[in-house]
Amino acid sequence: MKLVTYIYEGIERIGVLTADGGKVCPIDGFSSMNELIEKADEKIMENIAETAAQEKNAVDFSEVTKRAPIPCPKQDVICLGINYTEHAKESESFDKDAFGGERPCPIYFSKRVNEAPGDGDGICGHFDIVDSLDYEAELGVIIGKEAKNTALEDVKKHIFGYTVINDVSARNVQTAHKQWYFGKSLDGFTPMGPCIVTTDEIAYPPALKITAKVNGELRQNSVTNMLITGIDHIIHELSMGITLKPGTIIATGTPSGVGMGMKPPCFLKEGDVVECEIEKIGSLKNTIIK
C-alpha cells in the first residue's frame, strides 16, 4: 500500500492511495502517520487495505495538498554517509580532507528535521550562508516495530515501509565544520515523499532503480541493492546499542552523481528543479527557492 499525509478542506489527514494512485482514501482513527506506525498491527493494516480496495470516501489525489508522509519526525533522521562505492570516489575527489581515508565501519550521522518538505514544496537554499547547495537521492527505511538487539535474520520484521528522501546538503558548511550535522540540518533540508510504500509491496532487500534529475538532466542513476552497508547490517548494528522506535527514519545513502562530484562541481541555484525518484515508490520533485 501507498500511505500519504495530505491536506484536504483545510484539515491535515493521513490516507491510502487507490490501486491506480489517482485517488486517496482517508484513514480514520489516527492523528498522524507517526501514530499509525506506532499502533499498526495486522488487523489495522488489513482494514486500510480494504479501505483502498473499496475506495471508501475517496477524493482525487490531484485535489489535495501533498505533505511529506511524516512531516515532523519524532527524532532526527539517521543517515548513512558514503554508502555507495562510486559516491565514495567522487566525494574524496571533491575534498579529500573531509571525505577521504579508510572506512572500515559505516559512517552514521543524523539530520535535524523540524518539518520535512513534501513533493511539490520548495526547498529553501539558505543562500545567505550557503554557496554550494547539493542534492542526494536516497532510499528511506521506516521502522515499524521497535528494534533492540535485532538479529540479522529478523530485520525485515521491524520495517514498516520505504520512502524517497533528498538529503539536501550545504557543502561549504558541511566541510567547514569537519562534521556533517549542521550542513545537513538547515530548515527544509529533508524533503520526503511522495508516500510510504509498505514492505509487502517490495521484495526484500529492495533492489530498486534510484535516480535524481536536475532541471530534467539525469544526474544520479543506480540501484538500491548497491549499498556498501546493507539494510540488514544497518538496523542490526544500530539496534545493538540504540533502541530504534517505531517511526524512526533511516536514510541509507546516495549513489554517485551529486553536484560536488561533477567536474567542475555544479551546485543548485534558485529556480532549479530537483526530482528524486525510486522505482515502485514514486517521484519527489522540489524547486529551489531563496
Side-chain angles (χ1 to χ4, degrees):
M1 293 180 288
K2 290 186 174 182
L3 306 177
V4 296
T5 298
Y6 64 101
I7 297 172
Y8 182 64
E9 295 182 336
I11 300 172
E12 184 170 292
R13 314 163 188 254
I14 61 171
V16 56
L17 296 184
T18 54
D20 63 2
K23 295 181 179 180
V24 59
C25 310
I27 299 172
D28 296 325
F30 302 94
S31 62
S32 66
M33 191 69 73
N34 277 321
E35 185 184 1
L36 170 61
I37 294 169
E38 289 172 0
K39 295 182 177 179
D41 57 21
E42 186 175 345
K43 183 62 176 177
I44 287 172
M45 299 311 288
E46 287 176 356
N47 289 341
I48 293 173
E50 182 180 343
T51 294
Q54 297 180 2
E55 300 191 7
K56 293 180 181 178
N57 301 315
V59 298
D60 287 344
F61 197 40
S62 61
E63 295 181 4
V64 310
T65 299
K66 289 179 280 186
R67 298 272 279 143
I70 304 177
C72 299
K74 284 191 164 186
Q75 298 176 316
D76 288 1
V77 173
I78 300 172
C79 303
L80 272 287
I82 318 295
N83 203 27
Y84 286 76
T85 300
E86 293 304 313
H87 178 55
K89 294 177 183 177
E90 70 177 0
S91 299
E92 184 171 2
S93 69
F94 176 74
D95 190 323
K96 190 171 183 178
D97 289 338
F99 300 107
E102 294 296 321
R103 285 176 290 272
C105 296
I107 297 172
Y108 296 112
F109 63 96
S110 65
K111 285 177 74 93
R112 171 75 61 181
V113 187
N114 287 323
E115 185 173 327
D119 179 40
D121 288 340
I123 299 172
C124 177
H126 295 275
F127 293 116
D128 53 336
I129 60 171
V130 177
D131 64 12
S132 45
L133 187 68
D134 214 345
Y135 53 89
E136 295 188 3
E138 307 203 9
L139 174 69
V141 177
I142 298 158
I143 298 295
K145 177 184 175 184
E146 183 176 293
K148 179 65 174 176
N149 296 323
T150 301
L152 285 166
E153 61 270 21
D154 293 331
V155 163
K156 182 185 175 183
K157 301 174 187 176
H158 294 264
I159 299 173
F160 181 81
Y162 308 98
T163 192
V164 183
I165 291 174
N166 183 355
D167 177 16
V168 180
S169 306
R171 300 301 186 192
N172 62 309
V173 180
Q174 180 183 5
T175 56
H177 286 267
K178 306 302 180 185
Q179 49 75 35
W180 302 351
Y181 186 78
F182 186 29
K184 297 273 191 173
S185 296
L186 304 187
D187 288 346
F189 268 26
T190 313
M192 185 190 314
C195 63
I196 294 171
V197 177
T198 53
T199 53
D200 57 300
E201 298 285 327
I202 295 173
Y204 189 82
L208 308 172
K209 183 176 181 182
I210 179 171
T211 62
K213 297 177 181 176
V214 177
N215 301 326
E217 176 190 0
L218 183 64
R219 297 279 185 88
Q220 294 184 282
N221 186 15
S222 189
V223 183
T224 60
N225 65 348
M226 300 294 288
L227 300 174
I228 296 172
T229 303
I231 295 169
D232 281 342
H233 182 90
I234 293 167
I235 293 175
H236 162 71
E237 181 171 68
L238 289 173
S239 77
M240 299 309 291
I242 300 173
T243 301
L244 301 176
K245 295 286 190 179
T248 297
I249 303 167
I250 301 172
T252 55
T254 199
S256 62
V258 298
M260 73 173 179
M262 300 178 71
K263 298 189 183 303
C266 186
F267 295 115
L268 298 170
K269 60 185 184 302
E270 183 183 0
D272 283 347
V273 178
V274 183
E275 183 177 9
C276 300
E277 185 171 4
I278 299 180
E279 178 187 6
K280 296 187 179 181
I281 301 175
S283 170
L284 173 66
K285 185 183 287 188
N286 305 92
T287 301
I288 307 302
I289 60 176
K290 284 186 177 179

